[in-house]
Amino acid sequence: MKLPRYKQLHQRLKSDILSGHYAEGSLLPSENTLSAQHKITRVMVRQALSALEQEGYIARRQGKGSIVCAQQPALGLLSFRGFSEVLGETEHSATSQFLSKPHATTWSKDFFFDLSVSEQKAGCITIERLRKVDDQPVMLEFTYLPNLNIPNFCDKKWVQGSLFRMLYWYYQLEITNVDQRIRALAAEAETAEQFHLDMGTPILHIHRKYGTNRPNYFIYSSLYCNTEHYAIGTIIK
Amino acid sequence: MKLPRYKQLHQRLKSDILSGHYAEGSLLPSENTLSAQHKITRVMVRQALSALEQEGYIARRQGKGSIVCAQQPALGLLSFRGFSEVLGETEHSATSQFLSKPHATTWSKDFFFDLSVSEQKAGCITIERLRKVDDQPVMLEFTYLPNLNIPNFCDKKWVQGSLFRMLYWYYQLEITNVDQRIRALAAEAETAEQFHLDMGTPILHIHRKYGTNRPNYFIYSSLYCNTEHYAIGTIIK
DNA sequence: AAACTCAACTTGTATATACAAGTTAACAGG
DNA sequence: CCTGTTAACTTGTATATACAAGTTGAGTTT
């Protein structure tokens, strides 16, 4: 169960970056310094730093040092972009409100993904959120988590308004991949009302299945987007 | 300009994998073998293999060896999935046909992304494709490449029916990231006809900007999708 | 035939060392 | 004041070596 020393260093540096101990844009201690401080060779220090670089936490410059990077957006994060302008570069900040307190329930009988037996048994935590830009509702998001090994989830405080940061903070849960399917469909009565749109207006619908660093632990989302005024942006790296 | 030896080995192994010299599922020569063959230390061999592993070309197993992986799908590749079934796992294979031979033109005046001066000057190559599943048209794709340092592009043969594989094969051009914005909109007369749909049917529209391993070289796409019968799938890693 | 042992392979972790190459600030000379 | 050199730092590339730990198949024992 003992972690190799370079992995220990890797985790240590990572949590120090995430906690703000090393500020964004500042330099990490040099490889020789880390080597001396942690009493491991520079080769092992470099192995830890390579992993951090790969994950996007630092950028290394020969002759300069290891620079702490700005926090990269979560995998598959959606943003809202106006497109009245030709290029529509501007990114708009969204507010998020809960339509209900996150609560534990059973899974819907006709859930949109196939569930394993253990997921079925555990039941799910449902999160219903509405996102607005300029007071206009643009996204209706339903998120479902299997109620497995995330004790007291509903009582925890959210970290920086983000579900995923919260999951990392309390449970060391990280999103490793996203599998999604997208459709355009005509708004039905209910969603049309939420978005203040006429029935039948084209809206976007996305089903998502998030993979995590816990084997066989997945998170599911169903998203409805009003793209009348803002397009949905994603960056894939 | 001389590449370090471990990077040479990395490139060599990569092209050997892509050319099929090392079959999918087979083992690469062991680290010691590679070390002896190329007369570099095992430390350097491991550096090359780590890069290959990171890129997804191989998977390493302690005690076993380095296993050549199945070719991973291109970054942000779209697939078509039926959803008549509840879970809609099935992935459908699409055929692709050219609506016109790829040809060099000037950029449209109201192009959907902002272009640099050098891109403007170079002009663009336009590719118009229609994709079908079960003989039903599902995607209309317009791709635009700056006519810069891709000599004789229009005369080249496509590799495995893929634009991106072709770009790698002839020009070592790789896609490093995708920036996209998605909207749902009502089909206009023209697109409705292409898709055999009624005017006003909700369809999907995606603008894409692909980043590459060539600094400041970008590829642009505009995609219209008929999601009446097949949802658009993406996997983000 | 089945089970166990072991040797020979594989990758993983680790130390110690050397020099090349990029960056920066201090310092000397004009 | 400005300019060029240098010294002291940084990361990058590279060698040589050692042992730990997982895998596999051949050979031995039961």
Side-chain angles (χ1 to χ4, degrees), chain A residues 4-7 41 44 62-64:
Chain A
R5 307 187 68 177
Y6 77 91
K7 284 187 182 169
T41 55
M44 292 295 105
Q62 187 175 167
K64 192 101 181 284

Side-chain angles (χ1 to χ4, degrees), chain B residues 94-106:
Chain B
T95 61
S96 181
Q97 86 185 61
F98 290 95
L99 296 182
S100 66
K101 216 171 116 63
H103 55 286
T105 59
T106 56

Side-chain angles (χ1 to χ4, degrees), chain A residues 236, chain B residues 73-78 178 180 208 210 233-235:
Chain A
I236 307 173
Chain B
L75 203 60
L77 184 79
L78 301 176
V178 184
Q180 66 181 3
R208 289 188 151 191
Y210 297 93
T234 329
I235 293 175

Side-chain angles (χ1 to χ4, degrees), chain A residues 2-229:
Chain A
K2 219 187 98 196
L3 269 182
R5 307 187 68 177
Y6 77 91
K7 284 187 182 169
Q8 289 177 31
L9 176 58
H10 169 239
Q11 288 199 350
R12 172 71 180 277
L13 291 171
K14 186 152 132 190
S15 69
D16 279 353
I17 289 171
L18 286 171
S19 75
H21 184 274
Y22 296 119
E24 180 185 320
S26 66
L27 293 174
L28 287 189
S30 78
E31 297 178 355
N32 283 320
T33 306
L34 289 171
S35 169
Q37 278 176 358
H38 296 83
K39 295 196 180 92
I40 56 179
T41 55
R42 208 186 130 211
V43 177
M44 292 295 105
V45 171
R46 283 180 66 76
Q47 203 157 331
L49 293 180
S50 291
L52 286 176
E53 184 180 30
Q54 206 60 51
E55 294 169 304
Y57 290 105
I58 61 170
R60 295 151 98 191
R61 292 286 133 75
Q62 187 175 167
K64 192 101 181 284
S66 298
I67 305 155
V68 178
C69 289
Q71 271 188 56
Q72 47 187 353
L75 203 59
L77 184 78
L78 302 176
S79 63
F80 305 95
R81 306 194 201 172
F83 50 83
S84 48
E85 324 90 87
V86 183
L87 39 152
E89 268 172 353
T90 43
E91 190 162 308
H92 295 75
S93 60
T95 61
S96 181
Q97 86 186 60
F98 289 95
L99 296 182
S100 66
K101 215 169 120 58
H103 55 287
T105 59
T106 57
W107 297 94
S108 156
K109 250 187 293 180
D110 51 350
F111 192 69
F112 54 89
F113 271 101
D114 213 12
L115 297 167
S116 70
V117 179
S118 62
E119 283 178 318
Q120 285 279 9
K121 270 196 209 160
C124 88
I125 290 170
T126 301
I127 304 168
E128 302 178 309
R129 285 179 288 181
L130 180 65
R131 291 179 200 274
K132 292 182 182 181
V133 173
D134 291 338
D135 277 323
Q136 291 185 327
V138 291
M139 190 160 101
L140 192 56
E141 179 169 14
F142 303 93
T143 308
Y144 309 93
L145 306 107
N147 200 352
L148 271 170
N149 293 316
I150 45 171
N152 305 108
F153 174 88
C154 295
D155 305 327
K156 302 280 190 207
K157 272 213 178 144
W158 285 44
V159 177
Q160 295 169 54
S162 159
L163 168 64
F164 293 147
R165 286 205 224 290
M166 166 197 187
L167 288 172
Y168 181 74
W169 188 262
Y170 292 112
Y171 310 107
Q172 289 76 52
L173 200 66
E174 290 178 286
I175 304 299
T176 53
N177 69 80
V178 184
D179 188 354
Q180 64 182 4
R181 61 202 60 167
I182 313 175
R183 283 186 302 167
L185 40 81
E188 289 172 34
E190 238 181 300
T191 40
E193 206 201 307
Q194 284 278 13
F195 288 142
H196 311 317
L197 292 174
D198 295 331
M199 254 185 72
T201 307
I203 58 170
L204 208 63
H205 182 237
I206 306 178
H207 276 318
R208 290 189 150 189
K209 180 180 183 175
Y210 296 93
T212 69
N213 57 349
R214 281 195 202 165
N216 301 314
Y217 192 83
F218 301 99
I219 298 171
Y220 304 91
S221 272
S222 175
L223 305 139
Y224 295 88
C225 307
N226 167 11
T227 58
E228 282 281 296
H229 304 290

